[in-house]
Amino acid sequence: MIEAISAGKPVLMLSGQGSQKPGMGADLMDLPEVRETFECASDVFGFDVADLVTGAEAEKLNDTRFAQPALAALSVAVARTLMARGVEPAAVLGFSLGQIRALAVSGMLADEATFALVKARSELMAEAAAAHPGAMSALLKADEDAVQALCDECAEGDVLVPANFNCPGQIVVAGTPEAVERAEAAWAAAGKRSSRLATSGAFHSPLMADAAAGLDAYLEDVAFSEARIPLVCNVDAAPLAAADAREHLVRHLTSPVRFQQSVEALAASGADTFVEAGFGGVLANLVKRIDKAATRACVQDRESFDDFLAAQAATDTE
């Protein structure tokens, strides 16, 4: 159950892989909290993450081995910097990989432990994807019942499941390449469009079972604190408790991302302001389609950072 949220108090959102771009966050690097976060990330990942985001070519940055560290460092850094300047989030909500980074922002894990988890999880997912090839496709004009029926019809003994509930009319399916191709063809035959995602595997599906087993073993030695800021979990669209963290994070690899349901639950509890910390604005755009009345922002560079703090200061003095 999400506790009541006061009007204007922001929900911080952290996006998944795919929103990276060369040079992202470059004009924020002079802020002390950003520098400190990137230094911590560099120590854990074993290379200069700040140099990566400011200087790498797109081809390198799009490699999952580099995209995940870059996005992890930037989103945590932006969140840390906002909070250091008086922004008090009502909750934090991640999307896929963003949920792992949300552990740091919520206070459930220290930054170093969070980045180590990102590193271990990405390696496990890459191994599982190589062993069990898969694909993902976004179905447009989709609803849950229709997508489940499509998966049942097109699986033909292969893995094919709903993987991401993004927003009304947009659901991602994941499975074997053959099953996803059959689903796309059936969807097109019904006069509807789909869009294949540029992913290296069928994430949030049973094809990630090996990664889930590996993550379960890794988390055996990880101690979680209770969240200081409620973390709304992708698995069940509810606040995550420390006692449930290991089990939920393991399930997260093979269960759908319930982003739409999470935003709806937050809105039902009074949330009216959603702020994406990081880069791209993908989640802010999804919120627009889930709750048209919500105030949205993406803090990704110095201009948007200054604008958001100015807007918050104006709200605080009203």
Side-chain angles (χ1 to χ4, degrees):
M1 181 71 178
I2 301 174
E3 295 185 1
I5 295 173
S6 302
K9 199 163 186 183
V11 174
L12 282 185
M13 303 186 298
L14 310 176
S15 65
Q17 189 174 329
S19 59
Q20 66 276 357
K21 184 178 179 181
M24 62 181 186
D27 59 356
L28 294 170
M29 291 296 173
D30 62 328
L31 297 171
E33 295 84 5
V34 174
R35 285 200 308 273
E36 290 165 9
T37 303
F38 270 87
E39 287 169 2
C40 178
S42 298
D43 289 342
V44 172
F45 290 109
F47 59 86
D48 190 330
V49 184
D51 182 65
L52 172 71
V53 298
T54 57
E57 297 293 329
E59 183 178 359
K60 181 175 182 178
L61 193 58
N62 288 338
D63 184 322
T64 189
R65 295 170 297 174
F66 299 110
Q68 292 202 16
L71 289 166
L74 182 61
S75 57
V76 172
V78 170
R80 287 267 177 263
T81 307
L82 290 173
M83 292 162 66
R85 282 152 184 78
V87 175
E88 297 180 7
V92 58
L93 171 62
F95 186 106
S96 191
L97 170 66
Q99 173 156 299
I100 308 305
R101 293 175 256 146
L103 294 166
V105 179
S106 69
M108 296 189 76
L109 284 181
D111 289 1
E112 185 176 5
T114 298
F115 294 141
L117 175 54
V118 169
K119 184 172 186 288
R121 181 178 177 272
S122 64
E123 291 169 353
L124 289 165
M125 291 172 69
E127 291 169 4
H132 306 284
M136 302 180 77
S137 185
L139 306 180
L140 307 181
K141 295 185 178 179
D143 64 76
E144 187 167 354
D145 290 342
V147 170
Q148 188 59 61
L150 181 78
C151 290
D152 294 341
E153 173 192 343
C154 296
E156 298 182 10
D158 291 335
V159 169
L160 183 64
V161 296
N164 299 342
F165 293 94
N166 289 350
C167 64
Q170 188 182 122
I171 298 174
V172 173
V173 295
T176 65
E178 298 80 9
V180 170
E181 189 171 331
R182 288 192 295 269
E184 290 172 328
W187 202 247
K192 299 177 182 179
R193 293 187 299 118
S194 63
S195 177
R196 184 68 66 97
L197 304 188
T199 61
S200 58
F203 305 132
H204 303 290
S205 84
L207 291 176
M208 288 290 110
D210 290 352
L215 186 65
D216 188 40
Y218 176 87
L219 293 174
E220 184 175 357
D221 298 322
V222 176
F224 295 91
S225 301
E226 290 297 345
R228 295 191 298 273
I229 303 167
L231 190 167
V232 178
C233 182
N234 286 173
V235 172
D236 56 7
L240 183 62
D244 300 326
R246 177 181 177 184
E247 188 262 344
H248 276 52
L249 290 172
V250 171
R251 281 175 58 198
H252 188 230
L253 287 174
T254 57
S255 299
V257 172
R258 297 188 177 276
F259 182 77
Q260 177 183 335
Q261 295 88 336
S262 299
V263 172
E264 290 171 343
L266 284 158
S269 295
D272 61 3
T273 303
F274 293 82
V275 181
E276 186 171 344
F279 191 82
V282 172
L283 300 187
N285 288 332
L286 291 180
V287 169
K288 181 179 180 180
R289 298 181 62 179
I290 300 168
D291 181 3
K292 291 180 173 56
T295 298
R296 298 164 290 107
C298 177
V299 178
Q300 60 184 355
D301 53 22
R302 180 55 68 90
E303 181 180 5
S304 56
F305 176 78
D306 291 341
D307 288 349
F308 179 73
L309 288 181
Q312 282 283 290
T315 300
D316 293 342
T317 58
E318 288 178 356

